[in-house]
Amino acid sequence: MSSSAILWFRRDLRLYDHAALLAAARRADSVLAVFVLDDNLLRPAGANRRHFLYGCLRELDERLGGALLIRRGDPAEVLPELAERVGAASVHASADTNPYGSRRDERVRAALEERGIDWEVTGSPYAVTPGRITKADGTPYRVFTPFRRAWSEHGWPAPAETGVDTVDWLPSDGLGGLPLPDGDPEATPELPPPGESAALRRWHEFVESGGLAEYHSRRDRPDTAGTSRMSAYLRWGCVHPRTLLRELSRLDHHGAGSYRNELAFREFYADVLWNRPDSARHNFDPRFDRMPLDTGAEASTLFDVWCEGRTGFPVVDAGMRQLLHEGWMHNRVRMIVASFLVKDLHLPWWWGARHFMRHLVDGDLASNQHGWQWAAGSGTDAAPYFRVFNPTTQGEKFDPSGEYVRRYVPELRGLAGARAHRPWRSDASLAPDYPAPLVDHAHERQEALARYERIKNP
């Protein structure tokens, strides 16, 4: 007797190295591929992330020969109904360890169980599923370095050898599927090409071009193409980190070690969020609940100026404009603009985190929220609060020729070399349309430290 199952795609929009696909193949002769458009996730995603998602779905559907079923609604209602219609004995998915995903999946499990349908979770978007690594006493890690050691010692399985031929795919005709969205008209046109094929192509280009070998020395330089730009593909699971880690294990150079370290950081933040789901919206360190922050009309005006990239600090403005133009920002610059918001403007970190999540094509809740708390000093393994980035010297150090600044701030293209980082020292006629610095950094640094003095003791 033939049997069928459902594979619910989520943050795993690929066919290779797909553990849940392998599990479905072991349970059933034929599988229905499903993606559910969940408005609870789509609404806050932002145009860039939605647009990239839709492109990934189109590519996945093409690889499946048109067999991907798109439905919209509550997954706890959609999936049981579909399972009964196709006679599926089981529904398979990769784990979703984010707060909303965990709650939603529990509702899906309960709804399927009522109908006698199995709910089977296999794998996750991480090499090691969040929650599996703990200290000897069973408590979670709060500091990255010991987590990284434990993560490396724990290890992970080899990539699952799966593909389009792993199962027979049930046709999606007659099941009430929606046409694949064309995209989001509000998205920036500068997004990366979507899908699994583009992800693997980009990774191989990065490795073969020597980008990976030089990653450790170039990754902090926004003026060069020193990063892999794989973050959006990892965010949507167009490639699994295990696939990258296998490649890294074959290489013996500093670049591979540095890249592996960054993958570990991604897994660390996911683990933190799994253990402390409240940290997505609140300070991990409760002392910072007492931090005096600026709010009100004037604070909102300053925030708008920061969002638009008009602060008068060139590297900050370049980063904010890159975000609006490309849906992405270099990681070093993310730290600089975040420090400026919380320590020069004294605004809440969650304002900035929300703006990033609205525009980033790679917006990932765990990495974004905890990256912001690192900058604010309120998170786990945080940078010391007294480490206040000077945006001018940061720009000069990591963009020494001023190329990055001039690329995104055209008002400064008349200033050659590093002079682009200090336009106030040049003839005003060379950058007449660029604003003066919004604040005095030296003064605001002292103000930030004074505010910290009020809360640093429990």
Side-chain angles (χ1 to χ4, degrees):
M1 177 183 289
S2 63
S3 58
S4 61
I6 288 176
L7 178 59
W8 179 18
F9 286 92
R10 291 109 70 91
R11 290 182 55 183
D12 49 4
L13 304 182
R14 65 184 183 280
L15 293 174
Y16 177 68
D17 192 8
H18 199 306
L21 168 56
L22 190 61
R26 289 169 175 164
R27 287 285 305 267
D29 300 317
S30 55
V31 173
L32 178 66
V34 177
F35 188 91
V36 182
L37 298 170
D38 183 347
D39 288 331
N40 288 315
L41 292 175
L42 289 175
R43 276 194 301 269
N48 291 333
R49 209 147 62 254
R50 289 193 296 266
H51 188 87
F52 188 79
L53 164 64
Y54 299 155
C56 293
L57 292 174
R58 284 194 299 275
E59 196 244 15
L60 179 60
D61 183 56
E62 290 171 4
R63 299 189 68 198
L64 291 172
L68 179 63
L69 178 67
I70 304 292
R71 293 284 293 268
R72 181 182 293 272
D74 181 350
E77 297 175 359
V78 171
L79 291 165
E81 179 259 325
L82 281 175
E84 289 187 332
R85 287 183 66 174
V86 302
S90 57
V91 173
H92 299 260
S94 304
D96 187 338
T97 58
N98 280 347
Y100 170 76
S102 298
R103 296 192 302 270
R104 176 206 57 208
D105 286 359
E106 178 57 28
R107 292 193 300 107
V108 170
R109 183 204 61 76
L112 291 170
E113 189 177 79
E114 287 181 0
R115 294 164 175 79
I117 301 165
D118 292 340
W119 165 245
E120 188 169 330
V121 174
T122 311
S124 76
Y126 304 98
V128 181
T129 300
R132 290 191 177 172
I133 296 176
T134 62
K135 294 186 284 187
D137 62 1
T139 60
Y141 284 94
R142 297 166 57 98
V143 177
F144 170 67
T145 301
F147 173 88
R148 182 192 60 200
R149 287 196 293 264
W151 175 79
S152 296
E153 291 169 2
H154 181 280
W156 39 83
E161 296 298 331
T162 57
V164 68
D165 298 326
T166 298
V167 296
D168 291 328
W169 299 98
L170 285 170
S172 58
D173 300 341
L175 294 174
L178 299 174
L180 284 164
D182 291 330
D184 194 305
E186 296 182 6
T188 175
E190 301 297 327
L191 300 181
E196 180 178 11
S197 297
L200 294 173
R201 184 167 58 250
R202 173 58 191 150
W203 174 248
H204 292 146
E205 289 172 355
F206 181 63
V207 174
E208 294 164 8
S209 69
L212 177 62
E214 298 179 352
Y215 179 73
H216 65 294
S217 60
R218 300 179 63 195
R219 68 185 184 87
D220 272 329
R221 291 284 298 274
D223 57 335
T224 66
T227 64
S228 68
R229 299 294 291 263
M230 291 295 295
S231 54
Y233 300 118
L234 286 165
R235 164 65 180 84
W236 285 110
C238 301
V239 63
H240 196 280
R242 278 191 310 248
T243 302
L244 310 187
L245 286 162
R246 180 171 64 179
E247 185 87 28
L248 295 173
S249 70
R250 299 168 176 166
L251 301 170
D252 184 22
H253 52 59
H254 291 303
S258 182
Y259 200 94
R260 177 186 171 104
N261 197 60
E262 294 304 306
L263 290 176
F265 240 123
R266 177 177 179 266
E267 307 232 339
F268 173 60
Y269 281 151
D271 193 74
V272 171
L273 184 62
W274 165 256
N275 287 289
R276 283 282 305 276
D278 63 299
S279 65
R281 301 286 181 263
H282 304 286
N283 293 311
F284 188 91
D285 184 342
R287 293 179 303 162
F288 282 79
D289 295 344
R290 308 195 307 271
M291 172 65 77
L293 298 171
D294 292 352
T295 56
E298 184 176 351
S300 294
T301 298
L302 292 175
F303 179 68
D304 290 342
V305 171
W306 176 84
C307 290
E308 294 163 7
R310 296 187 294 108
T311 68
F313 289 87
V315 73
V316 173
D317 294 342
M320 298 309 296
R321 296 187 197 186
Q322 181 182 25
L323 175 63
L324 296 177
H325 183 64
E326 299 178 4
W328 187 82
M329 189 191 301
H330 188 279
N331 187 61
R332 165 58 59 171
V333 185
R334 294 189 199 199
M335 293 189 284
I336 296 170
V337 304
S339 178
F340 186 84
L341 183 80
V342 298
K343 295 176 182 175
D344 283 77
L345 301 184
H346 316 295
L347 301 181
W349 64 262
W350 51 91
W351 288 14
R354 185 168 57 243
H355 181 73
F356 270 31
M357 288 296 285
R358 186 177 300 122
H359 292 282
L360 284 171
V361 67
D362 63 6
D364 173 84
L365 187 68
S367 294
N368 187 66
Q369 306 305 90
H370 292 103
W372 269 93
Q373 292 208 50
W374 181 91
S378 65
T380 182
D381 203 37
Y385 188 80
F386 52 80
R387 184 186 298 162
V388 181
F389 283 4
N390 181 317
T392 302
T393 57
Q394 285 279 310
E396 291 170 332
K397 179 178 180 180
F398 296 108
D399 179 31
S401 69
E403 181 180 341
Y404 174 76
V405 160
R406 284 188 294 274
R407 187 183 311 154
Y408 295 102
V409 186
E411 305 98 297
L412 299 177
R413 289 177 183 170
L415 300 179
R419 294 189 341 179
H421 291 290
R422 297 179 187 264
W424 51 86
R425 289 186 176 179
S426 299
D427 187 332
S429 65
L430 296 177
D433 300 320
Y434 190 65
L438 188 62
V439 296
D440 180 332
H441 170 71
H443 172 78
E444 301 307 335
R445 177 180 181 277
Q446 292 303 317
E447 172 63 18
L449 296 178
R451 294 187 186 205
Y452 178 60
E453 284 295 322
R454 298 189 228 174
I455 71 153
K456 69 177 185 178
N457 296 316

